[in-house]
Amino acid sequence: MSDNRYKKISWALPWLCISVAGVVFCLVYFKYAYILADAWNFLFRREIKAQSYLAPLGISFITFSAVSYLMDIYRGDEAAGSLLDCALYLSFFPKVVSGPVVLWKDFKKQISVRTQNIDKCVYSLNRIMLGFAKKLILADQFGAFIAGVTFYEGGMDPITTLGTMFAYMLQIYFDFSGYSDIAIGLARLFGFEFKENFNFPYCSKSVSEFWRRWHISLGTWFREYVYIPMGGSRRGKRNTIRNQAVVFLLTGIWHGAGWSYLLWGGINGLFVILERLVADKKAYQKTPNVVKWFLTMTITFIAWQLFRFPDMEDLKLCFGSLFAQYPLTELPYTWKYYFDARIIFLMIVGTLGSTLFGWEKLKIWCKKATSPGIGFLIQELVIFVLFIVAILCMVNSTYSPFIYFQY
């Protein structure tokens, strides 16, 4: 049996490599042609121009789904589906634009055994409404606030700079987690149960833990199809560090065709590797959790600005303003103009919503409080009111596209 399976895999391997290479080539061609041409011109003093094409919608997530389909079949984790099943998996609309990244072996077994009932429908609608509330009430309001703050020639006062940086940190979380809630809720309406994509990442006490809580489906994909095939953590510390470095560099590249994304992936990978190296040290183990949390959030806070400012000159201007390298007397507006009661209230709500509700004891209490009839009715009323407020925000033209639509 093992010999036959080995022969099958040996014959299948070249076809797997060709198929994966063809799928990945499409992604590279549409998304990275410019940066590859720039790198080629810089290294070899040439003048190659990359032709501009509009990338297909959701090409990054479709590519990852296609690789999952091929790899799971090759490894025997799941059987191949029919043409219709494959098309459904690749184009299933809740996940196709911005994820979550669903593995074929998790999707295939649900195609023919989907069930639906009133409890699942209520749960699905609640997730969709909460997702819209996250997006329209919080993420878009933070985005509008950031867009309204201007970097003048004299820079910006440190408080305003710090506030906009923090607002972006909240925006990107509520924007993407809101979309994930909507996608999970829509999928559940059709009987598909997707795994959670976020687990309160701003409660993390290390960068490694952050990546176990942030965009969980992306981390799972890289672990399944890059990290483990390269050897994972089974071949010694040196190879483990190499594998982690490769994964985070690829993570940065996947997010965008620019050096800032590569740097962002490198920063996250560097601290994950450093944490692995010091994990057994007594000094690290004795460090209070609150200190670890603060350091982790500081690293995350700074790294997110590479998403906000892909242009290094803008990033330099931002940090220059943060450390007051510009005379404040020349600024026409300061933090007193930008930070009104509304945005301060929303930032407090966003901070508590992204951290406090990740506390396990509070989760248990909320579950008990909403189990009885009156508690459940109050919960549904609150969610419905939030949804109405979200619709009003959209009507008032504060909606902006989801940030992860560009990836």
Side-chain angles (χ1 to χ4, degrees):
M1 176 67 102
S2 59
D3 290 339
N4 292 335
R5 184 173 182 272
Y6 177 78
K7 290 179 180 179
K8 179 181 177 181
I9 291 177
S10 297
W11 278 106
L13 182 58
W15 292 107
L16 173 71
C17 294
I18 293 171
S19 301
V20 170
V23 168
V24 173
F25 173 79
C26 295
L27 175 64
V28 172
Y29 181 75
F30 282 107
K31 194 172 179 180
Y32 304 102
Y34 275 107
I35 193 172
L36 291 175
D38 289 342
W40 181 272
N41 294 336
F42 175 78
L43 291 174
F44 299 101
R45 307 295 181 184
R46 301 294 178 87
E47 292 297 331
I48 297 177
K49 292 184 179 180
Q51 193 168 358
S52 176
Y53 291 102
L54 289 177
L57 183 66
I59 186 171
S60 295
F61 291 93
I62 293 173
T63 299
F64 273 28
S65 295
V67 172
S68 174
Y69 181 83
L70 295 168
M71 288 291 294
D72 285 353
I73 295 172
Y74 169 75
R75 298 193 304 196
D77 294 338
E78 187 55 75
S82 65
L83 180 62
L84 185 60
D85 290 344
C86 180
L88 173 64
Y89 171 60
L90 295 178
S91 62
F92 190 50
F93 76 94
K95 71 177 183 66
V96 74
V97 178
S98 289
V101 183
V102 182
L103 307 187
W104 168 245
K105 60 185 177 183
D106 295 330
F107 190 89
K108 168 67 163 59
K109 56 191 176 187
Q110 298 187 57
I111 294 177
S112 57
V113 295
R114 288 174 290 143
T115 59
Q116 192 58 274
N117 56 47
I118 187 63
D119 291 335
K120 290 182 178 180
C121 285
V122 170
Y123 174 84
S124 302
L125 294 174
N126 284 347
R127 288 298 293 266
I128 293 170
M129 289 189 289
L130 284 174
F132 273 106
K134 284 182 179 181
K135 167 63 175 171
L136 296 166
I137 299 176
L138 293 174
D140 282 358
Q141 299 297 326
F142 294 138
F145 163 70
I146 294 169
V149 177
T150 305
F151 275 99
Y152 296 95
E153 292 183 2
M156 183 186 295
D157 66 282
I159 296 178
T160 302
T161 304
L162 190 66
T164 55
M165 294 170 73
F166 183 63
Y168 184 76
M169 184 178 181
L170 293 175
Q171 180 194 4
I172 196 169
Y173 168 69
F174 284 107
D175 187 281
F176 194 20
S177 67
Y179 179 88
S180 293
D181 286 339
I182 295 170
I184 290 171
L186 285 171
R188 184 67 67 90
L189 283 177
F190 289 93
F192 290 94
E193 296 188 15
F194 290 173
K195 296 178 181 177
E196 293 297 331
N197 207 25
F198 289 87
N199 183 23
F200 297 94
Y202 292 160
C203 294
S204 305
K205 296 179 287 294
S206 68
V207 179
S208 302
E209 182 185 354
F210 175 84
W211 278 100
R212 291 193 295 271
R213 292 170 173 264
W214 175 275
H215 205 344
I216 299 170
S217 64
L218 180 67
T220 300
W221 191 96
F222 274 109
R223 184 178 66 250
E224 286 279 336
Y225 307 120
V226 179
Y227 184 69
I228 291 177
M230 290 180 65
S233 57
R234 303 187 304 272
R235 299 178 181 176
K237 183 175 291 187
R238 179 177 297 180
N239 286 332
T240 299
I241 291 173
R242 179 205 64 189
N243 297 341
Q244 287 180 326
V246 170
V247 165
F248 276 98
L249 287 176
L250 290 176
T251 301
I253 293 171
W254 177 84
H255 277 86
W259 298 110
S260 60
Y261 297 107
L262 188 63
L263 180 59
W264 173 80
I267 290 172
N268 281 275
L270 174 63
F271 282 101
V272 168
I273 291 170
L274 289 176
E275 288 168 359
R276 175 175 285 272
L277 294 175
V278 302
D280 298 330
K281 306 296 182 182
K282 290 184 178 180
Y284 180 79
Q285 294 176 350
K286 291 182 179 180
T287 302
N289 285 336
V290 66
V291 174
K292 291 180 180 178
W293 172 82
F294 180 78
L295 292 175
T296 301
M297 290 302 99
T298 300
I299 295 165
T300 304
F301 171 80
I302 294 173
W304 277 141
Q305 306 313 310
L306 291 164
F307 269 50
R308 182 184 170 202
F309 299 110
D311 190 316
M312 291 299 174
E313 289 300 320
D314 292 336
L315 186 66
K316 181 180 178 181
L317 179 62
C318 175
F319 281 99
S321 299
L322 180 63
F323 295 104
Q325 292 183 2
Y326 307 97
L328 301 183
T329 56
E330 299 179 5
L331 298 177
Y333 302 105
T334 61
W335 67 271
K336 294 180 181 179
Y337 174 81
Y338 293 114
F339 287 88
D340 56 21
R342 182 185 63 86
I343 194 63
I344 292 174
F345 173 75
L346 289 175
M347 291 178 78
I348 292 173
V349 171
T351 301
L352 295 177
S354 60
T355 55
L356 185 63
F357 286 97
W359 189 30
E360 289 301 325
K361 290 184 179 179
L362 183 59
K363 288 182 181 180
I364 295 172
W365 182 85
C366 290
K367 188 174 182 180
K368 290 181 179 179
T370 55
S371 294
I374 185 66
F376 175 77
L377 289 176
I378 292 174
Q379 169 190 275
E380 295 306 303
L381 178 62
V382 170
I383 293 175
F384 184 70
V385 169
L386 288 174
F387 182 65
I388 295 299
V389 174
I391 297 301
L392 291 175
C393 289
M394 184 169 62
V395 171
N396 288 330
S397 302
T398 56
Y399 172 78
S400 60
F402 287 94
I403 293 175
Y404 263 69
F405 276 8
Q406 63 184 300
Y407 303 128

